[in-house]
């Protein structure tokens, strides 16, 4: 007789407790079909503001709005049941003050059903992280390369080289002390990501950071090979779905033009 083992959705404290136990696996998802797949295999799903590029074809994450995050966040929550869902707070929706951040985060949590939010920034954002955490909103911090600051950083450059390493370590400590349940560390030197992982009590989640981070995250479109012309060094491609989709659409268009599709089996009887 098969036994039904009830599953419950993982929470932010569950993810925090995984530090030192086993590596944490995470990917982004923005839509129902991908959310269902990622939910089966990953510990948390990030509805990242990278959807500005992957879904909307924008040049950066700067143009992403709270409405976009709410729409995609809701789709992902409704089509997952096991993984924690974390929704990004987009540029301009939280930086002004802790109260501003709380208003946006509360709206995102209420309208999507997500279990946590993510925000970008160094030590200067730690006060905001603490303000949210103390009011019941679990926060995943994002330090290192913070794409919402691409204009100030002067491009998508590796962070943590030279004197910058001390600043990054201070950022990590400030966010951990502020109560973040985890810290995404993006595109830094391997050594600083590794040192941070040892220094802070919450899990570090690397993307272009270090195998020694407590977990890893990637943009799902990157591992699926959806953008053959854009291959970040830190992303491993596990399938070539972009090429497969191109071949399928080409074959369909050719068959329509040649009359090979549709066949009678694709039609309905009276
Ligand atoms: O928006 C995003 O997808 C992200 C991750 C890749 C960390 O912030």
């Amino acid at each position: 007789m098969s036994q039904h083992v009830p599953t419950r959705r993982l929470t932010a404290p569950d993810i925090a407790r995984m530090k030192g136990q086993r590596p944490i696996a995470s990917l982004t998802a923005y839509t129902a079909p991908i959310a269902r797949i990622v939910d089966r295999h990953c510990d948390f799903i990030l509805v990242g503001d990278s959807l500005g590029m992957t879904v909307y074809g924008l040049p950066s994450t700067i143009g992403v709005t709270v409405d976009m995050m709410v729409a995609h966040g809701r789709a992902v929550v409704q089509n997952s049941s096991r993984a924690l869902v974390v929704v990004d707070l987009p540029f301009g929706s939280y930086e002004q003050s802790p109260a501003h951040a709380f208003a946006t985060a509360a709206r995102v949590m209420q309208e999507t059903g997500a279990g946590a939010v993510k925000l970008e920034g160094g030590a200067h954002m730690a006060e905001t992280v603490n303000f949210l955490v103390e009011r019941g909103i679990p926060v995943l911090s994002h330090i290192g390369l913070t794409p919402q600051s691409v204009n100030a950083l002067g491009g998508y450059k590796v962070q943590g080289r030279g004197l910058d390493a001390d600043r990054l370590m201070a950022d990590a400590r400030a966010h951990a002390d502020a109560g973040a349940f985890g810290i995404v560390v993006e595109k830094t030197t391997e050594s600083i990501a590794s040192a941070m992982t040892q220094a802070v009590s919450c899990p570090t989640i690397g993307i272009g950071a270090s195998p020694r981070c407590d977990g890893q995250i990637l943009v799902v479109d990157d591992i699926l090979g959806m953008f053959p012309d854009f291959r970040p060094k830190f992303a491993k491609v596990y399938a070539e779905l972009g090429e497969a989709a191109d071949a399928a659409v080409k074959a369909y268009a050719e068959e329509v033009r040649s009359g090979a599709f549709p066949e009678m089996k694709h039609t309905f009887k009276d």
Side-chain angles (χ1 to χ4, degrees):
M1 201 176 81
S2 74
Q3 262 197 326
H4 175 69
V5 183
T7 53
R8 72 163 176 85
R9 201 186 271 281
L10 291 171
T11 63
D14 291 330
I15 301 295
R17 278 191 292 271
M18 287 179 189
K19 186 174 179 100
Q21 302 299 309
R22 65 161 173 82
I24 299 161
S26 173
L27 282 170
T28 64
Y30 323 99
T31 60
I34 297 293
R36 288 190 203 117
I37 297 169
V38 176
D39 187 50
R40 286 201 286 275
H41 306 287
C42 287
D43 301 307
F44 76 88
I45 305 174
L46 174 68
V47 186
D49 61 355
S50 50
L51 63 75
M53 286 99 105
T54 58
V55 178
Y56 292 92
L58 299 175
S60 74
T61 57
I62 305 291
V64 174
T65 65
V66 178
D67 286 348
M68 287 177 183
M69 297 312 301
V70 165
H72 291 273
R74 193 183 289 141
V76 170
V77 170
Q78 287 178 354
N79 288 280
S80 60
S81 60
R82 211 195 57 81
L84 169 69
V85 177
V86 182
V87 177
D88 254 338
L89 301 185
F91 177 69
S93 74
Y94 63 94
E95 300 89 334
Q96 203 177 335
S97 67
H100 183 214
F102 181 81
T104 306
R107 179 185 164 202
V108 165
M109 304 273 293
Q110 284 175 332
E111 295 185 20
T112 65
V117 297
K118 175 165 84 59
L119 58 79
E120 295 183 8
H124 65 284
M125 290 307 296
E127 182 194 353
T128 296
V129 171
N130 189 251
F131 191 89
L132 298 188
V133 170
E134 292 208 326
R135 285 157 184 78
I137 299 183
V139 178
L140 179 63
S141 296
H142 184 158
I143 66 171
L145 174 68
T146 45
Q148 292 175 10
S149 304
V150 62
N151 292 314
L153 293 172
Y156 297 95
K157 297 175 190 158
V158 176
Q159 306 291 302
R161 290 195 168 129
L163 293 178
D164 220 22
D166 292 342
R167 182 186 55 80
L168 273 189
M169 181 60 91
D171 290 346
R173 288 190 201 278
H175 281 267
D177 291 349
F181 75 89
I183 304 175
V184 170
V185 181
E186 178 164 355
K187 205 168 180 183
T188 64
T189 60
E190 193 280 325
S191 61
I192 188 63
S194 172
M196 271 179 206
T197 302
Q198 290 202 316
V200 298
S201 53
C202 66
T204 57
I205 310 295
I207 170 164
S210 169
R212 294 190 180 92
C213 285
D214 299 298
Q216 302 294 327
I217 187 164
L218 285 174
V219 169
V220 72
D221 302 69
D222 290 341
I223 75 157
L224 297 179
M226 290 303 292
F227 299 105
D229 301 333
F230 175 71
R231 300 260 151 119
K233 172 180 166 146
F234 55 75
K236 182 169 173 183
V237 179
Y238 288 82
E240 292 289 358
L241 297 197
E243 283 173 10
D246 187 77
V249 172
K250 180 170 181 267
Y252 163 78
E254 282 171 1
E255 288 199 359
V256 169
R257 291 187 186 116
S258 71
F261 177 84
E263 298 168 49
M264 289 313 284
K265 68 180 179 191
H266 299 119
T267 66
F268 300 96
K269 291 196 171 69
D270 290 337

